[in-house]
Amino acid sequence: MAAVGAHRPGPLKQQNKAHKAGKHSGASRRRAEGRVPVKAQPRRRLRDLNRVDRRHQALQLRRQRKEAVLAEKRSLGSRDGPPHLVVVVPLHSRAVVHDTIRLLQNQDSAVVVVDEGKTGGFALLCPRLKQRWRFVPSQAGDLHAVLDLAKVADSLLFILDPTDGWDSAGEHCLSCLFAQGLPSYALAVPGGADLPPKKRIDVRKKLAKAIEKRFPEAKLFPLNTEQEASLLLRHLGTQKQRHLAFRDRRPHLLAYTAEFVPSQECDLVGTLKVSGFVRGHTLDVNSLVHIVGQGDFQMSQVDAPPDPLSLNPRVVKGQKKSQDMEIQDSVNGTEEMEEEVKILMKADPNKQESLQSEVVPDPMEGEQTWPTEEELQEAEASLKENRRVVKVPKGTSKYQAAWIVDDEEGGSEKDDDDEDYDMEDDMMEEAVSQDGESTEEEAAEEECETMTVSECLRDDQYDEKVEEDEQMLEKYKQERMDEMFPDEVDTPRDVPARVRFQKYRGLKSFRTSPWDPKENLPRDYARIFQFQDFFRTRKNLFRQIAKEETEGALVGWYVTLHICNVPASVMESFKEGKPLILFSLLPHEQKMSVLNFLVRRHPSNSEPVRAKEELIFHCGFRRFRASPLFSQHTSADKHKLERFLRPDAALVVTVYAPITFPPASVLLFKQRSNGMHDLIATGSLLSVDPDRLVIKRLVLSGHPFKIFTRTAVVRYMFFNREDVMWFKPVELRTKWGRRGHIKEPLGTHGHMKCHFDGQLKSQDTVLLNLYKRVFPKWTYDPHVPEPVPWVRSESTLPVQEVEMD
């Protein structure tokens, strides 16, 4: 028998696909030959943990978070931490604040220390519970004081009316507080004990149902007895604290006492000694301090006086004297305290932050020096490479020739230098805003019938403000016209269009056409500061604050800050009962730049707000006045200017202001003629970017006179032949979506022959878009006038009235 040999595959054997082993960890390790990326190592190590280790790790993380929350609760109001600062905010004109304060003070195991001045605040010390509170009642109707106190408060205690809840002033106050950032809060309802028990329960149920929209998870605390006041205190001390990002990263304090020492040169400026408890973060004496509503200042030294709110009963008894002596010592500073004052630190001139907020521009910095031979040779070589031959119309400059593509019809190229005209470009804005500046003419006398009105109803005197009504009506008309015909203007008859719109340019595409952000900057841009990468600087700064421990006064210490060159008006406002609040600034936050805020119009305001009107800003811990620009919020590199604050879209507000690192909330107010402040918009800080392009668009419109297949004769866009030749390179469009360009002028009265990509309709309108970059006005003012107290009216809370027997 012949032996059978093994079968051997031939060259045409089928080759199957190999198994894909790339997703398996073993195969990847074999291919890597032991090389493991650095970033992949923690993930692999985490994946290699067994089930018991993963559960143990999750348990440790939960335990750490729980311990952090408990440590925060225990430190607040304890002996080592600052007192629990509670701001009492009445939300109704009938809210009984005095009874609330009396019940809180009548605690058996507490010692009451009454504050100085006209604030009416007091401190509550409970050695048995090892806690201390400081209660500061806000002045009724003073919106700025409420917002400033809410910036540093640990908790807000809202006082409601038992039947109506809150009125219109309370609704306005709540809107502002929610937009700024609400800390921890509690709702107290004093009174209502005179109602029958059955009606009392019904009123409370309806009140709880009504406030569910504003405070969905809130609990109502009745406040009629001392036992109910104790329950309220326990709730305030144990509830979870809400964090406001703009204050947690910055040291801040609310002044407990203050003393003003005039300088030797002038009595109007001197050193302000402010005492209070450090909150938020460690306070460095070399950093700058911002007094809310007053400005930025430097500190010379920080002292450590005895704690006036110590939980040690002996210290409290030693400080208790007569009431008059206590008030005098707390305002002017006691001699006994001055003897025991310890100097913690003094400012180092080499490390101290500078107060320089603006760059001093050098007028010779922009002068052109004579180029070298190498630079001339490089310029000639680059011109030869980029040179191209195109056909352009007569009278076209080199700058305009850059718009024209190679297939455009025209004549020979001619060099025309761009002439500088002294005519202001705001003629169009004057045409859009016919109201102008209000004249000081006396209002016409109106026939009025005699009637008795309350003195506080200032806004109800409509007949005495005829001129303001006419101006407001004109604004409504302008806003309506801008909505119907956006950016459309009439071509002037007395001024050539090429002169009137000489600062404008045409763009092939608003989205993709390039625009140099450093081109034709105003002189104000030489005064501001700019970051190379703002968000990277912010990230590094916050990381440094979180990791590094700065030397200075720790959180909870009672210190005295010596602030230099402070005007005497700051001390006068403090003596009148205004809160004195200080924030320590982060690096660069005293320097001026261009700030962009993302805001949305508040639903309660419906009056038209035009761009470049003076508005009042509450940005984080700052308060200032400025005239902003409004622009669209898009992801492109160019953003179209909006002439009015739109009610249905989020807009970006651009102003000159000191640098502030986000996150920071912003509130926009507008001052009425009677001094009241209306909330018009709320939002947050978007960026600090002077290179953000805000582009103003003008639309010139014309009407088709004779229509052919692809051409049409257009009139009323221009009124002379030279303007038609000047704007010939700019592309045309129509409201019905056609595209075209100017072919040639017809006659001498502005008629022109235009070519389109399709036949026009007789009812269509031909449009020509022109663009110009705009900049905000330098109108920054850190001093904001005090508003007139808000007029209280009937309740706005949707609570049904209960019929009384």
Side-chain angles (χ1 to χ4, degrees):
M1 265 179 89
V4 179
H7 173 72
R8 299 187 179 276
L12 301 179
K13 179 181 179 296
Q14 178 181 355
Q15 297 290 336
N16 296 326
K17 294 175 65 177
H19 178 66
K20 294 182 179 179
K23 296 183 180 180
H24 296 275
S25 59
S28 62
R29 290 199 194 100
R30 287 193 296 271
R31 286 197 306 272
E33 297 180 357
R35 297 187 299 271
V36 180
V38 179
K39 292 184 178 180
Q41 181 66 25
R43 295 181 182 178
R44 182 172 296 113
R45 184 179 301 170
L46 180 63
R47 188 170 58 243
D48 292 342
L49 293 177
N50 56 23
R51 182 181 179 184
V52 177
D53 294 339
R54 288 197 303 269
R55 293 181 62 183
H56 182 63
Q57 188 178 28
L59 180 62
Q60 286 181 332
L61 292 176
R62 287 197 303 268
R63 189 176 299 167
Q64 290 176 1
R65 297 191 189 100
K66 185 177 180 180
E67 290 177 355
V69 173
L70 291 177
E72 182 184 5
K73 288 183 179 180
R74 291 165 183 166
S75 62
L76 183 61
S78 63
R79 180 176 56 184
D80 299 329
H84 193 135
L85 181 58
V86 181
V87 177
V88 183
V89 183
L91 296 180
H92 200 281
S93 58
R94 295 196 302 266
V96 186
V97 181
H98 299 288
D99 295 347
T100 303
I101 294 177
R102 179 179 54 81
L103 288 173
L104 292 173
Q105 290 179 353
N106 293 338
Q107 299 295 321
D108 296 335
S109 61
V111 179
V112 179
V113 180
V114 180
D115 284 359
E116 73 290 341
K118 300 180 181 180
T119 58
F122 65 96
L124 200 63
L125 309 179
C126 297
R128 184 175 62 86
L129 300 177
K130 297 182 180 180
Q131 281 196 349
R132 50 182 178 171
W133 291 272
R134 185 186 175 193
F135 291 87
V136 180
S138 60
Q139 297 181 1
D142 193 349
L143 182 61
H144 285 344
V146 175
L147 293 178
D148 292 345
L149 287 172
K151 294 173 183 175
V152 296
D154 296 318
S155 299
L156 296 180
L157 179 58
F158 294 116
I159 308 299
L160 306 179
D161 184 71
T163 56
D164 294 337
W166 55 78
D167 53 9
S168 60
E171 177 71 21
H172 181 66
C173 180
L174 285 177
S175 300
C176 299
L177 288 174
F178 273 91
Q180 177 180 266
L182 196 66
S184 303
Y185 60 87
L187 303 178
V189 187
D194 53 343
L195 296 176
K198 185 177 180 180
K199 301 298 181 183
R200 193 185 311 166
I201 296 175
D202 294 340
V203 169
R204 185 174 177 182
K205 285 182 179 179
K206 293 177 181 178
L207 180 62
K209 185 178 180 181
I211 68 172
E212 188 177 358
K213 183 177 180 181
R214 276 286 191 186
F215 307 97
E217 299 178 357
K219 179 182 178 183
L220 285 175
F221 286 89
L223 203 60
N224 297 317
T225 61
E226 296 182 4
Q227 183 179 3
E228 293 174 345
S230 300
L231 292 176
L232 177 61
L233 280 177
R234 183 179 295 274
H235 173 73
L236 290 173
T238 57
Q239 67 177 347
K240 184 179 179 180
Q241 294 296 315
R242 293 188 174 186
H243 294 276
L244 300 181
F246 71 89
R247 74 178 185 184
D248 289 343
R249 294 187 178 95
R250 298 173 178 86
H252 58 276
L253 61 87
L254 175 63
Y256 187 76
T257 60
E259 180 186 357
F260 183 75
V261 181
S263 62
Q264 299 179 357
E265 293 81 7
C266 181
D267 295 339
L268 300 178
V269 179
T271 301
L272 183 65
K273 299 180 181 179
V274 181
S275 301
F277 294 90
V278 180
R279 301 173 183 273
H281 208 267
T282 305
L283 178 64
D284 187 10
V285 69
N286 295 317
S287 61
L288 298 180
V289 66
H290 174 79
I291 301 179
V292 176
Q294 303 295 334
D296 304 335
F297 304 94
Q298 287 181 332
M299 293 182 289
S300 59
Q301 72 179 39
V302 177
D303 300 337
D307 190 350
L309 303 180
S310 176
L311 289 174
N312 189 352
R314 291 178 298 178
V315 177
V316 175
K317 290 180 181 178
Q319 289 182 358
K320 275 194 173 181
K321 302 178 183 178
S322 63
Q323 187 175 1
D324 297 337
M325 182 64 70
E326 183 182 353
I327 294 176
Q328 183 179 0
D329 291 347
S330 57
V331 175
N332 300 326
T334 60
E335 298 178 358
E336 193 173 322
M337 279 178 135
E338 290 179 355
E339 295 177 357
E340 300 178 2
V341 165
K342 299 179 181 179
I343 300 177
L344 288 180
M345 62 195 78
K346 289 189 176 182
D348 187 0
N350 298 326
K351 299 180 180 179
Q352 197 171 22
E353 291 282 345
S354 174
L355 281 173
Q356 182 184 4
S357 61
E358 301 178 12
V359 180
V360 180
D362 185 5
M364 300 299 293
E365 188 176 359
E367 291 295 324
Q368 178 67 40
T369 57
W370 188 257
T372 60
E373 294 182 1
E374 296 178 356
E375 293 175 348
L376 290 174
Q377 293 176 0
E378 292 177 0
E380 290 179 0
S382 62
L383 286 176
K384 290 180 180 179
E385 293 177 359
N386 299 329
R387 186 172 296 171
R388 63 189 180 94
V389 179
V390 295
K391 297 181 180 180
V392 298
K394 287 186 177 181
T396 305
S397 64
K398 289 182 177 180
Y399 184 73
Q400 290 176 324
W403 305 344
I404 303 174
V405 293
D406 294 341
D407 57 350
E408 287 285 336
E409 298 179 0
S412 60
E413 182 178 354
K414 183 179 180 181
D415 297 341
D416 290 335
D417 295 331
D418 294 337
E419 299 180 0
D420 295 329
Y421 294 92
D422 295 332
M423 181 178 300
E424 295 291 337
D425 191 59
D426 293 336
M427 294 173 60
M428 188 279 303
E429 296 178 0
E430 296 177 2
V432 174
S433 57
Q434 294 293 337
D435 50 359
E437 298 179 357
S438 59
T439 59
E440 298 181 356
E441 299 177 357
E442 298 182 355
E445 298 182 358
E446 298 289 338
E447 296 182 1
C448 305
E449 59 180 2
T450 305
M451 59 184 301
T452 303
V453 226
S454 176
E455 294 180 357
C456 64
L457 298 178
R458 300 181 177 89
D459 283 346
D460 295 339
Q461 301 174 359
Y462 296 106
D463 295 337
E464 297 181 1
K465 302 179 180 180
V466 180
E467 294 183 0
E468 295 182 4
D469 290 347
E470 292 178 354
Q471 294 177 3
M472 189 59 64
L473 178 61
E474 190 65 28
K475 285 186 179 181
Y476 278 113
K477 291 181 179 179
Q478 294 168 11
E479 186 180 26
R480 180 61 177 167
M481 291 296 294
D482 189 62
E483 292 179 359
M484 296 175 60
F485 307 100
D487 304 325
E488 290 192 30
V489 298
D490 295 331
T491 306
R493 301 290 298 271
D494 53 345
V495 181
R498 62 185 182 278
V499 177
R500 168 64 185 87
F501 307 120
Q502 60 179 336
K503 296 183 180 180
Y504 291 81
R505 69 179 70 175
L507 294 178
K508 182 71 175 177
S509 172
F510 183 78
R511 185 179 62 88
T512 60
S513 297
W515 197 304
D516 188 5
K518 303 298 184 182
E519 177 186 357
N520 295 332
L521 298 178
R523 295 189 62 86
D524 290 337
Y525 263 53
R527 303 164 58 185
I528 65 175
F529 292 84
Q530 183 178 4
F531 293 95
Q532 186 175 4
D533 191 342
F534 172 72
F535 292 101
R536 187 173 185 178
T537 304
R538 168 180 169 271
K539 182 179 179 181
N540 294 335
L541 181 61
F542 287 174
R543 184 184 303 165
Q544 181 180 1
I545 292 174
K547 291 184 178 180
E548 297 183 4
E549 296 183 359
T550 58
E551 297 181 357
L554 300 180
V555 177
W557 288 9
Y558 184 77
V559 298
T560 299
L561 309 181
H562 295 247
I563 307 174
C564 306
N565 300 325
V566 180
S569 59
V570 179
M571 187 63 190
E572 294 176 359
S573 64
F574 179 70
K575 290 181 178 179
E576 293 175 358
K578 303 291 183 182
L580 182 58
I581 298 172
L582 285 74
F583 274 86
S584 180
L585 300 181
L586 299 179
H588 314 296
E589 285 196 329
Q590 79 279 11
K591 301 174 182 178
M592 296 291 293
S593 187
V594 178
L595 271 63
N596 302 305
F597 305 99
L598 180 60
V599 302
R600 185 177 291 272
R601 186 153 186 175
H602 197 262
S604 63
N605 186 269
S606 59
E607 297 181 0
V609 180
R610 195 175 57 233
K612 298 184 181 179
E613 284 189 13
E614 186 180 75
L615 301 178
I616 298 172
F617 289 75
H618 280 252
C619 175
F621 56 89
R622 292 187 185 272
R623 186 169 68 239
F624 57 89
R625 291 186 294 176
S627 300
L629 293 178
F630 303 143
S631 59
Q632 293 180 351
H633 178 52
T634 59
S635 59
D637 60 340
K638 294 180 287 295
H639 312 274
K640 192 178 81 68
L641 175 75
E642 292 288 347
R643 291 177 170 83
F644 290 89
L645 187 62
R646 301 296 182 189
D648 55 347
L651 298 180
V652 176
V653 176
T654 304
V655 292
Y656 290 110
I659 294 171
T660 304
F661 290 100
S665 59
V666 61
L667 283 75
L668 272 65
F669 293 89
K670 184 178 179 182
Q671 186 172 0
R672 296 186 191 173
S673 58
N674 58 3
M676 297 177 61
H677 291 177
D678 291 337
L679 179 64
I680 63 171
T682 60
S684 60
L685 178 61
L686 181 64
S687 64
V688 180
D689 185 14
D691 289 341
R692 190 176 190 274
L693 297 174
V694 180
I695 307 300
K696 182 180 182 179
R697 184 182 70 172
L698 286 186
V699 179
L700 304 181
S701 59
H703 302 276
F705 178 52
K706 295 180 180 180
I707 300 176
F708 302 97
T709 304
R710 286 183 174 268
T711 59
V713 178
V714 180
R715 60 179 177 179
Y716 301 149
M717 182 177 291
F718 303 108
F719 298 99
N720 57 73
R721 186 182 183 90
E722 290 77 10
D723 288 344
V724 177
M725 297 298 299
W726 181 267
F727 290 99
K728 186 177 180 181
V730 185
E731 186 182 15
L732 301 177
R733 68 178 182 88
T734 68
K735 288 188 175 182
W736 286 37
R738 295 298 181 187
R739 299 279 180 173
H741 61 274
I742 302 174
K743 195 171 185 180
E744 59 182 356
L746 299 177
T748 60
H749 294 282
H751 290 207
M752 55 186 181
K753 187 177 181 180
C754 304
H755 183 80
F756 295 93
D757 57 356
Q759 188 173 11
L760 298 185
K761 302 293 184 180
S762 59
Q763 64 270 29
D764 204 351
T765 304
V766 182
L767 305 176
L768 183 142
N769 295 335
L770 298 176
Y771 302 94
K772 181 189 73 169
R773 185 181 179 184
V774 292
F775 302 90
K777 294 182 179 180
W778 193 287
T779 56
Y780 171 78
D781 186 6
H783 303 287
V784 178
E786 293 294 333
V788 174
W790 184 265
V791 179
R792 293 186 178 271
S793 62
E794 296 298 327
S795 170
T796 58
L797 194 61
V799 182
Q800 298 180 3
E801 297 183 359
V802 180
E803 297 181 0
M804 303 297 297
D805 294 337

